Amino acid sequence: MADPPHSRAWYARLARELGGYRHPWTRVLDGPDPELTFDALLTELLRPETRVLEAGSGHGPDAARFGSECAHWVAYDRQPELLELARANASAAEFHPWDGKGEVPTDLRGPFDLIVSRRGPTSVIDHLNAVAAPDARFLYVGPRLDIPRVPQRLKSVGWASLGEWRVSVRAWAPTWADWQTRCEFMGEATSREDWDAHAGARGRCYQEERYVLLAGRD
């Protein structure tokens, strides 16, 4: 992709070409998808009376999948193209534009019982006390084990980790085209020579890592 990864133009292209924020390459995992831990925790935390705020809705897959299991699902995203898809994919949920900076918009102040972010912005941590009910929980899954300073940022706003899961599973990109797309998506350099030197019958091996965190007020 010509646009810098995670730029506004990059997200707009994903929305236009892939219909949402998802892996644009084929991959095969040797173990369970690490995000299943996030799914299991989210399912356990949802109740009919739960009010949810989702940071970084993308094209609305979680709102569509889990929104019917709670009282109210409200989400935000900075990308207009993804918000348009989210409203079509999860009509029962509520979506608002916001980039996570500055004052929290009125429609996003809640209070919410559960704040979730699946590969979404960690900037929501700075606003937890503005949006959370007294006994609220924060559930996050990030794409790498070295996610920047999440525990420290939680501590700075008076929240603490209630549980952490660090998961790494071996994955395979079966073709050169898949590997090239994956590297472009991740902002990593690659070359055909590198592929030829390291790929085998199953393609090119790499690690899929996830950091799952459940937090509450300290």
Side-chain angles (χ1 to χ4, degrees), residues 34 37-38 41 45 125 137-142 144-155 159-168 210-216:
T37 301
F38 178 91
L41 288 166
L45 290 166
I125 293 172
R137 294 291 183 262
F138 171 58
L139 179 61
Y140 174 81
V141 59
R144 291 185 175 87
L145 300 184
D146 59 350
I147 191 70
R149 299 182 60 252
V150 166
Q152 297 93 322
R153 291 170 65 190
L154 283 167
K155 184 177 181 181
W159 288 58
S161 170
L162 303 177
E164 297 180 52
W165 295 262
R166 297 173 182 264
V167 185
S168 181
R210 293 291 185 270
Y211 172 69
V212 184
L213 172 77
L214 177 63

Side-chain angles (χ1 to χ4, degrees), residues 51-53 72 74 104-113 130-133:
R51 300 161 295 180
V52 178
L53 174 65
H72 198 30
V74 179
V104 180
T106 302
D107 292 329
L108 299 177
R109 292 180 187 174
F112 296 97
D113 308 298
V131 302

Side-chain angles (χ1 to χ4, degrees), residues 137-215:
R137 294 291 183 262
F138 171 58
L139 179 61
Y140 174 81
V141 59
R144 291 185 175 87
L145 300 184
D146 59 350
I147 191 70
R149 299 182 60 252
V150 166
Q152 297 93 322
R153 291 170 65 190
L154 283 167
K155 184 177 181 181
S156 71
V157 296
W159 288 58
S161 170
L162 303 177
E164 297 180 52
W165 295 262
R166 297 173 182 264
V167 185
S168 181
V169 62
R170 189 167 60 172
W172 299 85
T175 69
W176 158 243
D178 289 313
W179 179 250
Q180 188 178 32
T181 301
R182 180 244 170 215
C183 290
E184 291 175 350
F185 185 90
M186 300 296 293
E188 299 175 2
T190 190
S191 67
R192 186 57 192 250
E193 290 76 16
D194 175 73
W195 167 268
D196 291 339
H198 296 97
R202 299 182 65 188
R204 180 67 189 270
C205 178
Y206 67 98
Q207 293 297 122
E208 288 243 342
E209 300 179 336
R210 293 291 185 270
Y211 172 69
V212 184
L213 172 77
L214 177 63

Side-chain angles (χ1 to χ4, degrees), residues 46-52 66-73:
L46 289 177
R47 299 287 185 274
E49 66 275 13
T50 304
R51 300 161 295 180
V52 178
F66 299 104
S68 63
E69 300 178 28
C70 64
H72 198 30
W73 190 289

Side-chain angles (χ1 to χ4, degrees), residues 21-111:
Y21 179 41
R22 52 171 61 92
H23 288 103
W25 71 94
T26 299
R27 80 205 206 284
V28 179
L29 302 182
D30 277 350
D33 189 328
E35 294 196 19
L36 292 176
T37 301
F38 178 91
D39 291 347
L41 288 166
L42 178 54
T43 300
E44 184 177 333
L45 290 166
L46 289 177
R47 299 287 185 274
E49 66 275 13
T50 304
R51 300 161 295 180
V52 178
L53 174 65
E54 181 183 13
S57 64
H59 58 287
D62 282 343
R65 181 179 175 188
F66 299 104
S68 63
E69 300 178 28
C70 64
H72 198 30
W73 190 289
V74 179
Y76 70 86
D77 202 285
R78 72 173 190 174
Q79 198 68 31
E81 295 86 353
L82 291 175
L83 285 172
E84 183 178 355
L85 291 169
R87 293 185 180 109
N89 292 331
S91 58
E94 184 179 319
F95 299 93
H96 299 277
W98 191 42
D99 61 2
K101 300 176 182 178
E103 187 176 352
V104 180
T106 302
D107 292 329
L108 299 177
R109 292 180 187 174

